[in-house]
Amino acid sequence: MTEISRERWAVIARHLDAALDLPAGERAAWLASIAAQDEALAADLRRMLDEHEALERERFLEDELTAIRPDGPSPLAGTVLGAYTLFSEIGRGGMGTVWLARRTDGRFEGTAAIKLLNIALVGRAGEERFTREGNILASLTHPNIAHLVDAGVSATGQPYLVLEHVDGERIDRYCDARALDVEARLRLVLDVLDAVAHAHANLIVHRDIKPSNVLVRTDGRVKLLDFGIAKLLQPEAEPAPTVLTGEGATALTPEYAAPEQVTGGAITTATDVYALGVLIYVLLAGQHPAGEGLRSAADLVRSIVDRDPPPPSDVVTSPNTSVEVRAAAAVNRATTPDRLRLTLRGDLDTIVAKALKKDPAERYASVTALADDLRRYLRHEPISARPDTLRYRASRFVRRNRTAVALASIALLATIAGAVGTLVYAHSARAQRDFALRQLARADAINDLNTFVLMDAAPAGSTFTVNELLARARHIVERQHGEDEATRVNTLIAIGRQYWAQDEDAEAIEVLTEAHRLAQTLDDASMRARAQCALASALARTDAIRRAEPMVQAGLAVLPTTPEYLADRIFCLKCGTEIAQNRGAGDEAVARAEQALDLLRSAPFSSDIMELRLRMDVAESYRVAGNFPKAAAAFERAAGLLKALGRDDTQTAGTLFNNWALTLDLMGRPRDAEPIYRRGIEVSKADATERAVSPMLLLNYARVLENLGRPNEASDYAVRAYRKAAASHDEVIVTQALLMRNTIDRVRGDLAQSTADLDEVEPILRKKFPTDHPAIFAIVSGRALLAAARGDERGAMQLADQAVASLERTSPGSQRLALSLRLRADIELQFGRLDAAEADARKALDLLERATPPGLLTARVGKTALTLGRALAGQHRSAEARRALTLALTHLRDADGPDHPDVRQAASLLSSLQ
């Protein structure tokens, strides 16, 4: 090959990496498009590609990176590089490959990502650029940047970098999978901006910011990757490309390239600002600024250079955007298309538009300036990118200071109105002062009571349970008869709500009834409303639930709409949420919880604890409504706030972890639920025993262990849950534990004990519930599976038919019916009824797929597809069976884990059909 100068190589190298990424059959057309604009460049590239192809024909690369094939392990697996051993390839590009590696020098355990330079580039400018990436990473130390661990050269002469291995998802998929709302997405973006700002402070431009280079770990930590084409901000100009003809025509990603990268302009920090603008656009709107679908290279270039993108708020409801994309964008952001449009309209549209300006000089002057505007948006403050008009600044001030503005408006009107108005304002100010003093007095009274109960009333060295402390508090309050009865009512409400939180419903109702009686004698709307709403919430967990809803509505009606009663309205909405949840009115519960959260955000005060409780209410309301993806995302956000407040080892944490894990289990994600349940049990332990752990939490953990194919562990937890529930005479959990033990004992092959479990629980349930209740369905299904296990075909089919018929009558289209159909299909398979099994499995799968959000992988779908695949395989319909089994594996591996028995069964059957 003829010698090429360093300057000439700087131009060629950008195109060569892209060419090596293209399939060989596409390179000729790519070269022709280059030649149309720069024949000399095309000729140089053609010579280099010819040389590369000759080396490939000589099998030059087969012993190295390109030898990896789908049908067998790569020869590089097991290679030792320094202290690390290569394990599996996790990435590939024109510069080389990235491997997952384990530390094997015996000093300590750990994993890393090792980036190997493509051997075809060794000794060329690619090696220089590879070395530069290592130098750049070595200079960057930031918690949101994947750091450099080590570097070296392999025995074959290949340079390599040892990098921090980030076990996470790309940021767009992470956000969508958890249905993160706009605010949560922006907080992740702020971490990305901090990382890029750190790079810029070290005179480094990333130049390839895109979702796949921004990963989010399972703990929510953002990591910025791949500084492979980063540019040092140095005085000398770097030759730039003149064309962008397809993906990778320069060593960058075209969809996230700035106009100056396409046209050959100067690369500055503004280049990264543009890419960040595209990233924010995608995270907010759910699609690229250039629009939906695949675009030709020429159209993409025109879009980048010439066309201003539509505002994100227009895109999410535009008729030019497909209905599916609009719906998915809203669902993935835990909202509706119209609400998403309203959220994005205004400041966020303006921020994105400024970041995406074609002229670098018109963009944000720095990444820090972009971050500052996003933080201002989250604080409801004026952003710098918006015209600084009086009307705009006033609107932002009002949003941040609603109460203060309301009072200031009264003052302004009073000034205009003259002396009479002045007297009105003075009276209002006194009322506000008196109201604040009353609230302070009540808070002090509760603080004094807490101090006495927790410290003074307990002799040194004595220990008390929570309920014992509450009893002492109640005893004290009942003997206090001061001048301020409102303070006494407020204290009784606090004690009653604590009883309610401990599930001591009888005590809660007794205390709250007294608070309600006293409150009705007071001329205090705040106390009357609070007492009424608190009592209503307690009644909602009893047979008097019909009284609860009218009471909470009456409590809300008592409250004036003035700002000083905002906290009371939030409290009553929270109680109303609890009532709606107990009534099973999930949508109503969601609406009330979100309204309470909105009021808190707009309040002139802030309360992190109240926000945490309201976020938990929102999450639980979504769960009650059956919207499990939104519930799981809301629980995850609440858990993040819980940790930030340092309360992740409290009783509240135990409740949150249980409900979050239960939601994931109901979604059909037992693999995700298991560690959260386990965390909930650990948090709930008051000491080395499980004395303080709820039997329901133990039972839920048993259920998820059984779902994961771990019946022996599941049996242990189910027995512990049963014993705790029986000791406390909790009949509800006793019956659920017996049903759970029935399933586990049957799976373990102990049919006698499984039958005894059902014999014990059936009389209780049949006495308490009608024949079409889900609990009776569980009994019938359990009997059917036991009959099948004994080989009683007739008995099993009769009971399975009974369960299906009952659910088709009472719950058509439900997931419970799908479960019953799959159960019957499994029994039919056992007895060779292949046609019937196929029909039932298809109906069940159709019901589940219609009920499962797009992209969500669940064990229910996986198990049902496995049943269908088995039925088809038994009929020797191999092609259809393979499709069903592939679907089963896709869902089961993700939801249950690769070692689950169902995964092994599906994989084995699929292999036999190849």
Side-chain angles (χ1 to χ4, degrees), residues 402-729:
R402 295 175 189 264
T403 303
V405 168
L407 296 177
S409 299
I410 294 173
L412 179 60
L413 290 174
T415 302
I416 296 172
V420 174
T422 301
L423 291 174
V424 171
Y425 175 70
H427 176 75
S428 174
R430 286 194 298 273
Q432 294 293 324
R433 179 201 63 198
D434 294 343
F435 178 84
L437 289 173
R438 287 198 306 273
Q439 296 295 338
L440 181 61
R442 292 168 189 170
D444 283 343
I446 290 177
N447 286 338
D448 288 343
L449 178 68
N450 287 340
T451 300
F452 177 80
V453 169
L454 295 176
M455 297 178 66
D456 295 345
S462 300
T463 59
F464 292 88
T465 66
V466 172
N467 287 340
E468 287 170 341
L469 289 175
L470 287 174
R472 296 173 74 85
R474 181 180 174 185
H475 178 77
I476 293 165
V477 173
E478 285 174 347
R479 284 156 178 74
Q480 286 180 341
H481 295 281
E483 296 180 359
D484 189 358
E485 285 295 300
T487 298
R488 187 165 171 237
V489 170
N490 200 41
T491 308
L492 285 171
I493 292 172
I495 295 171
R497 289 288 286 176
Q498 285 298 320
Y499 273 125
W500 177 88
Q502 296 295 318
D503 293 326
E504 300 289 346
D505 294 337
E507 288 80 0
I509 290 173
E510 187 175 346
V511 172
L512 292 172
T513 298
E514 175 65 10
H516 182 255
R517 185 190 66 77
L518 290 173
Q520 302 313 304
T521 67
L522 302 176
D523 185 20
D524 186 330
S526 170
M527 285 299 97
R528 292 202 309 275
R530 279 181 172 267
Q532 184 127 334
C533 292
L535 178 58
S537 179
L539 291 173
R541 294 207 302 213
T542 71
D543 294 338
I545 187 172
R546 287 187 296 276
R547 293 173 51 198
E549 182 62 27
M551 284 182 69
V552 79
Q553 291 186 10
L556 283 164
V558 166
L559 290 171
T561 57
T562 49
E564 62 265 30
Y565 292 96
L566 195 59
D568 303 314
R569 187 165 293 277
I570 291 171
F571 176 81
C572 278
L573 283 169
K574 176 173 172 55
C575 292
T577 300
E578 295 157 0
I579 293 167
Q581 289 173 359
N582 281 293
R583 288 170 44 226
D587 291 339
E588 189 175 333
V590 169
R592 284 176 172 171
E594 289 189 333
Q595 184 183 354
L597 193 56
D598 287 343
L599 285 177
L600 181 64
R601 289 168 176 159
S602 67
F605 55 85
S606 62
S607 171
D608 291 335
I609 303 305
M610 178 57 73
E611 181 181 353
L612 171 63
R613 290 171 180 161
L614 291 178
R615 284 190 179 277
M616 290 175 64
D617 284 344
V618 169
E620 183 64 8
S621 298
Y622 274 125
R623 187 184 70 79
V624 171
N627 193 332
F628 301 133
K630 284 189 177 180
F635 275 124
E636 186 168 11
R637 288 193 291 272
L641 179 57
L642 186 86
K643 184 175 182 180
L645 296 175
R647 291 176 174 248
D648 51 347
D649 58 352
T650 60
Q651 182 184 16
T652 298
T655 301
L656 189 154
F657 291 139
N658 176 75
N659 294 349
W660 181 11
L662 177 60
T663 300
L664 292 168
D665 195 13
L666 291 171
M667 284 173 65
R669 304 281 304 172
R671 184 187 186 190
D672 295 337
E674 189 273 336
I676 299 175
Y677 272 137
R678 188 165 8 97
R679 173 66 175 147
I681 291 172
E682 291 301 317
V683 165
S684 300
K685 287 182 178 178
D687 47 37
T689 71
E690 289 178 351
R691 181 174 56 86
V693 180
S694 160
M696 181 58 77
L697 179 53
L698 296 173
L699 183 61
N700 287 340
Y701 190 47
R703 181 180 296 106
V704 83
L705 289 172
E706 193 279 322
N707 287 337
L708 289 171
R710 295 156 62 180
N712 292 333
E713 295 174 77
S715 177
D716 178 49
Y717 277 95
V719 169
R720 284 145 68 178
Y722 172 80
R723 288 173 179 168
K724 284 179 69 73
S728 61
H729 306 289

Side-chain angles (χ1 to χ4, degrees), residues 752-766:
Q753 183 58 53
S754 180
T755 302
D757 296 331
L758 280 183
D759 290 343
E760 182 178 351
V761 74
E762 184 169 6
I764 302 173
L765 295 179
R766 287 199 179 275

